[in-house]
Amino acid sequence: MVLSMAGIPGLLFFLLLLLCVFGHVSPYEASWKPTWPAYRLPVVLPQSTLNLAKPDFGAKAKLEVSSSCGPQCHKGTPLPTYEEAKQYLSYETLYANGSRTETHVGIYILSSARPGAQHRDSGLSRSSRRKRQIYGYDSRFSIFGKDFLLNYPFSTSVKLSTGCTGTLVAEKHVLTAAHCIHDGKTYVKGTQKLRVGFLKPKFKDSGRETNSSNSATPEKMKFQWIRVKRTHVPKGWIKGNANDIGMDYDYALLELKKPHKRKFMNIGVSPPAKQLPGGRIHFSGYDNDRPGNLVYRFCDVKDETYDLLYQQCDAQPGASGSGVYVRMWKRQQQKWERKIIGIFSGHQWVDMNGSPQDFNVAVRITPLKYAQICYWIKGNYLDCREG
């Protein structure tokens, strides 16, 4: 049975959604293992698709997003109604030939208690301030050598030809920030020929790989590029802006023209910050101040809203779009698993008791965003019932 949520006001809509999502959350184990909660998720399905005119690709690529709307500002924003949520989760698809479509979605709740139960498809800035993003001592780590760069989890980080970072989340899919390809009004220059770069060892003239395992100098690496077949951007980003709701929807999915043949990292619903191991998050990206280097960092979450995580991980432009991940215990498979729970977006100046303070911000993968992104990847909502 499918429950439609039409006509429900914002607060009631989200209360019903949360009851559904957390209705099957397993209790937090009384052990030292931080455990992935078991969610029963909503369904986000396409309803209709319209053809749009080709964009002009005239926007300048921005490698970070800034906003003065901090945690209290976001917490005070009214929750979207069902119709507004559908509008924000509707999305635009850009194809490699420059054509573009807009897809409207419906949001549904499966009343069956059995995950994956079969049923009939029912149609289912402050510009004057320096944006440093470094807090005290620079705690970032540059990752050198193919033994690290080509191994999981660092191998899941890729570079976009527009200058941002992305993360491999499926055999042909990359998760990144929406602002890396779209400025909220139109697509950035170069998006029509968007490519994704994978770090690989450079080769000598003889054709053999360089080997610096016993050398004091870092091994030379190069990017191998794969073209993007299509991109998906939520309308919440396109219709909003960084000082309103836009930052909540600063995410995009890229589909490659061919499989990348690397291990990828699954996406997951972001648990509450207090349930994160040590209260920390991790991410790796291609910061501009360290060209050619993959830079890893971790830090504590300082605050959160329903859609955003506020932290002070050291970062520079170029790192935006990085997948924010944690490692927790997967009870069903009895193993540890890393999952992407957010996308690094940019930073915000926040008024803390009259004193300006800046935070770096990650967009949380909420149950609705998980259902949407998973459907983009899988194409079948029955494969998106567990977050």
Side-chain angles (χ1 to χ4, degrees), residues 367-378:
L368 283 172
K369 293 173 189 172
Y370 176 92
Q372 179 189 56
I373 296 169
C374 182
Y375 186 86
W376 286 344
I377 296 171
K378 307 281 189 180

Side-chain angles (χ1 to χ4, degrees), residues 120-194:
R120 184 179 60 188
D121 185 354
S122 60
L124 292 167
S125 114
R126 297 190 180 187
S127 59
S128 61
R129 301 187 68 96
R130 182 168 173 261
K131 302 171 183 178
R132 53 190 178 87
Q133 296 185 272
I134 301 294
Y135 303 91
Y137 177 75
D138 190 346
S139 59
R140 296 173 297 165
F141 301 87
S142 290
I143 306 300
F144 295 114
K146 66 177 183 179
D147 290 340
F148 291 102
L149 287 169
L150 302 184
N151 286 329
Y152 189 84
F154 302 116
S155 59
T156 64
S157 295
V158 293
K159 186 175 179 65
L160 274 58
S161 55
T162 53
C164 289
T165 300
T167 307
L168 304 177
V169 292
E171 292 179 353
K172 294 175 64 176
H173 292 90
V174 175
L175 187 64
T176 188
H179 75 260
C180 296
I181 62 174
H182 197 289
D183 72 348
K185 296 180 180 178
T186 189
Y187 290 88
V188 305
K189 185 178 180 180
T191 303
Q192 187 174 358
K193 297 182 179 180
L194 185 64

Side-chain angles (χ1 to χ4, degrees), residues 309-340:
L309 290 174
Y310 293 83
Q311 32 78 19
Q312 291 184 329
C313 282
D314 292 327
Q316 288 289 300
S320 54
S322 301
V324 173
Y325 66 88
V326 294
R327 180 176 178 265
M328 298 174 69
W329 182 250
K330 187 80 170 176
R331 184 184 291 105
Q332 296 91 328
Q333 284 77 31
Q334 290 292 294
K335 67 176 184 179
W336 294 96
E337 182 178 4
R338 293 178 179 88
K339 289 185 181 181
I340 301 292

